[in-house]
Each structure stands twice: as C-alpha cells, then as structure tokens.
Amino acid sequence: MRARLIAVGERMPGWVAEGFAEYRKRLSHELPLELVELKPGARGKGRDDARAMHDEGAAILAALSRDVHVVALDGRGKPWSSEELARQLAHWRMAGRDLAFLIGGPDGHAPAVLERADQRWSLGPLTLPHMLVRLVLAEQLYRAATIVAGHPYHRAG
C-alpha cells in the first residue's frame, strides 16, 4: 500500500520541508508517502475565490488515481485520536487500496472533492496553516504505523 499527500500550495518553508522529509523517510517501509503539490487558484482583488476553489478542486481530482481510497482533511470531518488513526490504517491495509490524503486551498475543498472523498478527517478545532498540516499529517501517519507495528514511538498515557 502506498499513500499520496495531494496538497494545494507550493514551496514549503525549510523547517516544514525538513520535518516532512524526516517522517516521509521513517514511513518509507511501512507506508511510502509521496507529496504532490498543486498550484493554488488565483486569488486577490478582482478575482473570484469560488472560481479559485473550483480550479483547485479540479486539479485535485485530476491527480487522483481511479481506485484510490480518498481521505479529505476537512474541519467538519471526523477527528481521530492517534489510536483511532492506527485502527484506520490497519483497516486500510486490509482493504489493499492505495491512499490519497487531500489538503485543500485557503478556502477549503471544492464540493466535488468532498463528494469524491471516502472519508473526511479533521485534525481538530484548531485552524492550522496548510503547510503545518502536511507535517502533522506525516507525523501522525508515522505514529499510527508504529502503533500498528507495536513500536515504542507512541507512548499513550
């Protein structure tokens, strides 16, 4: 099973790129993780934000392979604890399909993307910068993989 993180936005700050690369490396055997960065839609004065979100959604949908299990990161999604994410990961492995995790643009996901999603995952009620979400996602996937493997990285109290 492989995973892709499809994210609207380009050029992560160095510290985010380094952290993401570290967790991607740690995941390389358990859950190979590929990052696909998509150009944000045009926003600003005289621009239509709804059009930008639509364009981002079309790019996300075009980046998805046909039989992939899609998890959209969405503030209205289901929050999972690290243990619940580990159970999800075990379930996804049993299903045998590749995974795609989606991070939308500044206005969230287009309705068509949310329609395509098999699941919606919320990282909680905090508003996080999209670049930081990439790092949190990679770390949590690594943590879930270690829980499934019985590795001592995760120490629940």
Side-chain angles (χ1 to χ4, degrees):
M1 181 174 70
R2 303 179 66 78
R4 295 176 90 197
L5 171 54
I6 301 171
V8 174
E10 301 168 304
R11 296 179 306 259
M12 288 186 279
W15 63 272
V16 172
E18 288 174 26
F20 184 85
E22 175 63 27
Y23 286 108
R24 181 179 180 182
K25 184 175 108 186
R26 291 181 186 195
L27 277 165
S28 64
H29 298 293
E30 298 295 325
L31 181 65
L33 180 61
E34 174 190 2
L35 174 63
V36 177
E37 294 180 307
L38 302 174
K39 185 178 178 184
R43 288 179 172 74
K45 190 172 182 168
R47 307 276 184 165
D48 181 4
D49 289 349
R51 180 67 191 174
M53 186 169 63
H54 175 271
D55 293 346
E56 292 163 355
I60 288 171
L61 293 172
L64 294 173
S65 58
R66 202 170 116 270
D67 193 37
V68 69
H69 183 86
V70 176
V71 180
L73 276 85
D74 179 48
R76 294 171 303 273
K78 183 169 177 32
W80 295 324
S81 68
S82 296
E83 293 84 2
E84 288 169 327
L85 179 59
R87 284 191 288 278
Q88 287 291 324
L89 181 59
H91 175 77
W92 295 330
R93 282 186 177 159
M94 293 296 292
R97 293 167 61 195
D98 286 342
L99 300 170
F101 295 93
L102 312 180
I103 300 173
D107 300 305
H109 287 294
V113 171
L114 293 176
E115 247 178 60
R116 171 59 181 89
D118 296 297
Q119 291 177 283
R120 295 184 197 183
W121 175 22
S122 171
L123 295 180
L126 297 173
T127 301
L128 299 172
H130 285 219
M131 295 298 171
L132 188 55
V133 170
R134 296 176 187 199
L135 182 53
V136 171
L137 174 105
E139 190 280 335
Q140 285 298 300
L141 288 175
Y142 176 69
R143 183 176 297 274
T146 63
I147 292 170
V148 171
H151 186 276
Y153 176 82
H154 177 72
R155 291 176 176 86

